[in-house]
C-alpha cells in the first residue's frame, strides 16, 4: 500500500513508518520544515512540507494514498475531520492514534485499582472528554465508507525507529534526574501505568492495517509498573539517589498534561482485542531498557 503517515517526523509516526517500509509498504509523510522533509526523504519517505493548518494539502495526500495513519496528535479535531472528509466513501483505511490517559485517574501518585480493556466503560477526567469524543468520531466514520480504527497506546518506551528517538514520559524523568542529581517520582509513586515497547507498538499498527475489521478500537500494552519502581530503576542506572516530589512541584515543572495527568496518575489497560487479533509483543521490558541507561 501507499500509506500517508501524518506525524512521520515524530516518535510514534517515525517508528510506524519504518515498520511499514520494512514490510514493503510505500510511505509518504509531512514535515513542518524543508530540512525535516529532506531528512524524511533520506529515509525513503516521500515528504511534503505542511502543517496542521494546511488542511487542503493534508486532504490531497489522503486522497492520493491507499491508507492514512494519524500519529501526529490525539486531539487535533480539525485535522481528523478534514482527513475523514477526504476519505468519505473511499473504503480506504484510516488509523487514528489516541492515548491511554483517556482512562487516567487524577490521583496524585496514589494507586487506584481500576483496569480497563476495550469493553470497560470509561469515566474520564474532564481534560480527556474531548479526546474520547474524537475517538468516537473516527470509529463512527466506518459508517461513511471509511475503514477506520483507533489504536490507544499507554506509556511507550524504547528508542524510536525514526527521526525522533525519544518518547514522552520517561525522557523528562531521566533528564530531571541528570540535572537535579536525584531521581524523583511524584507523591508516593504508587500510581501505575501500563507500558509498551515502541517496536511492539509499531508491529500493532501494521497488524491493524492488514487485518483489523473496520470500526474497532485497540488498547496497546505489554505489562505495567508503578512510577516509584520506574524512577528507582532510573536512579540505579544513573547511580543517583531516589526520592519524592510534591504533586504541585511536578505540575509546575511539567504542566498539567504531563505532570499531573501522566506522571502522577494511573492508566491501567489490557490489550485484549489486540492480542485476539494476533498481536504478540515480545520486546524487552521497561526495566530491561532502563537498566541500559548511561
Amino acid at each position: 500500500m501507499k500509506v500517508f503517515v501524518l506525524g512521520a517526523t515524530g516518535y510514534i509516526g517515525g517508528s510506524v513508518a519504518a515498520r511499514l517500509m520494512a514490510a514493503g509498504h510505500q510511505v509518504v509523510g509531512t514535515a513542518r520544515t524543508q530540512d525535516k522533509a529532506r531528512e524524511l526523504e533520506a529515509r525513503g519517505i516521500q515528504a511534503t512540507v505542511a502543517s496542521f493548518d494546511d488542511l487542503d494539502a493534508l486532504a490531497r495526500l489522503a486522497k492520493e494514498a491507499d491508507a492514512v495513519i494519524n500519529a501526529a496528535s490525539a486531539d487535533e479535531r480539525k485535522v481528523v475531520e478534514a482527513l475523514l472528509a477526504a476519505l468519505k466513501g473511499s473504503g480506504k483505511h484510516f488509523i487514528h492514534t489516541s492515548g491511554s490517559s483517556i482512562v487516567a485517574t487524577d490521583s496524585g501518585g496514589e494507586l487506584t485499582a481500576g483496569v480497563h480493556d476495550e469493553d470497560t466503560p470509561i469515566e474520564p477526567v474532564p481534560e480527556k472528554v474531548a479526546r474520547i469524543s474524537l475517538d468516537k468520531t473516527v470509529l463512527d466514520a466506518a459508517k461513511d465508507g471509511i475503514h477506520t480504527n483507533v489504536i490507544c497506546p499507554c506509556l511507550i518506551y524504547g528508542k524510536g525507529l525514526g527521526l525522533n528517538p525519544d518518547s514522552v514520559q520517561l525522557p523528562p524523568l531521566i533528564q530531571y534526574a541528570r540535572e537535579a542529581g536525584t531521581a524523583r517520582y511524584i507523591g508516593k509513586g504508587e500510581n501505575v501505568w501500563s507500558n509498551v515497547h515502541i517496536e511492539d507498538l509499531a508491529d500493532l499498527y501494521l497488524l491493524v492495517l492488514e487485518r483489523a475489521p473496520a470500526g474497532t478500537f485497540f488498547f496497546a500494552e505489554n505489562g505495567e509498573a508503578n512510577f516509584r519502581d520506574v524512577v528507582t530503576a532510573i536512579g540505579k542506572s544513573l547511580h543517583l539517589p531516589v526520592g519524592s516530589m510534591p504533586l504541585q512541584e511536578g505540575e509546575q515543572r511539567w504542566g498539567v498534561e504531563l505532570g499531573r495527568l501522566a506522571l502522577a496518575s494511573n492508566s491501567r489497560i489490557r490489550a485484549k482485542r489486540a492480542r485476539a487479533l494476533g498481536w504478540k509483543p515480545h520486546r524487552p521490558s521497561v526495566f530491561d531498557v532502563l537498566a541500559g541507561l548511561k
Side-chain angles (χ1 to χ4, degrees):
M1 293 185 187
K2 181 179 182 181
V3 185
F4 170 32
V5 177
L6 184 62
T9 60
Y11 177 66
I12 297 176
S15 300
V16 170
R19 185 67 185 88
L20 292 172
M21 289 188 292
H25 297 291
Q26 177 187 357
V27 175
V28 299
T30 57
R32 292 182 181 272
T33 67
Q34 191 63 54
D35 285 344
K36 286 294 184 183
R38 280 192 286 267
E39 290 183 61
L40 289 181
E41 294 276 0
R43 290 174 174 263
I45 299 170
Q46 180 184 330
T48 297
V49 178
S51 71
F52 285 164
D53 294 323
D54 298 320
L55 298 181
D56 289 343
L58 300 181
R60 174 180 57 80
L61 290 169
K63 290 177 180 178
E64 292 173 351
D66 301 309
V68 178
I69 295 176
N70 174 27
S73 171
D75 302 302
E76 285 286 343
R77 176 170 281 275
K78 69 176 182 179
V79 172
V80 171
E81 289 180 341
L83 294 172
L84 291 176
L87 296 174
K88 187 174 181 178
S90 68
K92 293 180 179 179
H93 291 258
F94 178 79
I95 300 175
H96 174 68
T97 304
S98 183
S100 76
S101 59
I102 60 172
V103 306
T105 62
D106 191 357
S107 59
E110 300 275 353
L111 174 66
T112 56
V115 179
H116 291 75
D117 63 30
E118 292 89 352
D119 297 317
T120 308
I122 297 173
E123 297 181 7
V125 294
E127 293 87 348
K128 296 302 170 181
V129 171
R131 178 177 292 185
I132 290 174
S133 175
L134 185 54
D135 292 347
K136 185 177 186 299
T137 295
V138 173
L139 296 174
D140 286 347
K143 302 170 187 175
D144 295 326
I146 311 171
H147 194 110
T148 58
N149 299 108
V150 173
I151 296 177
C152 187
C154 46
L155 182 153
I156 312 170
Y157 64 92
K159 184 177 179 181
L161 303 176
L163 298 181
N164 180 3
D166 293 328
S167 62
V168 173
Q169 286 164 292
L170 295 186
L173 289 173
I174 296 166
Q175 180 182 359
Y176 175 87
R178 286 178 168 143
E179 292 175 355
T182 302
R184 296 173 76 192
Y185 49 84
I186 294 174
K188 293 180 180 178
E190 294 175 350
N191 55 304
V192 171
W193 267 66
S194 298
N195 53 66
V196 64
H197 194 287
I198 183 61
E199 293 184 39
D200 286 326
L201 179 61
D203 287 347
L204 180 59
Y205 277 82
L206 179 63
L207 188 66
V208 168
L209 178 65
E210 295 180 343
R211 294 191 195 175
T216 48
F217 176 99
F218 297 90
F219 279 129
E221 59 74 33
N222 190 33
E224 63 178 23
N226 71 45
F227 273 93
R228 185 175 58 210
D229 289 345
V230 167
V231 169
T232 298
I234 292 171
K236 181 178 180 180
S237 290
L238 298 180
H239 307 289
L240 294 173
V242 176
S244 170
M245 73 167 65
L247 175 61
Q248 184 178 11
E249 182 181 345
E251 190 172 334
Q252 286 175 345
R253 181 175 182 86
W254 291 302
V256 171
E257 182 68 26
L258 179 59
R260 180 160 62 85
L261 298 181
L263 300 180
S265 71
N266 294 266
S267 180
R268 306 177 67 187
I269 60 173
R270 297 294 182 267
K272 179 179 70 174
R273 193 170 290 159
R275 287 183 170 84
L277 190 68
W279 183 53
K280 297 178 180 179
H282 61 277
R283 298 324 194 283
S285 75
V286 65
F287 294 110
D288 290 335
V289 171
L290 290 175
L293 281 180
K294 296 178 181 178

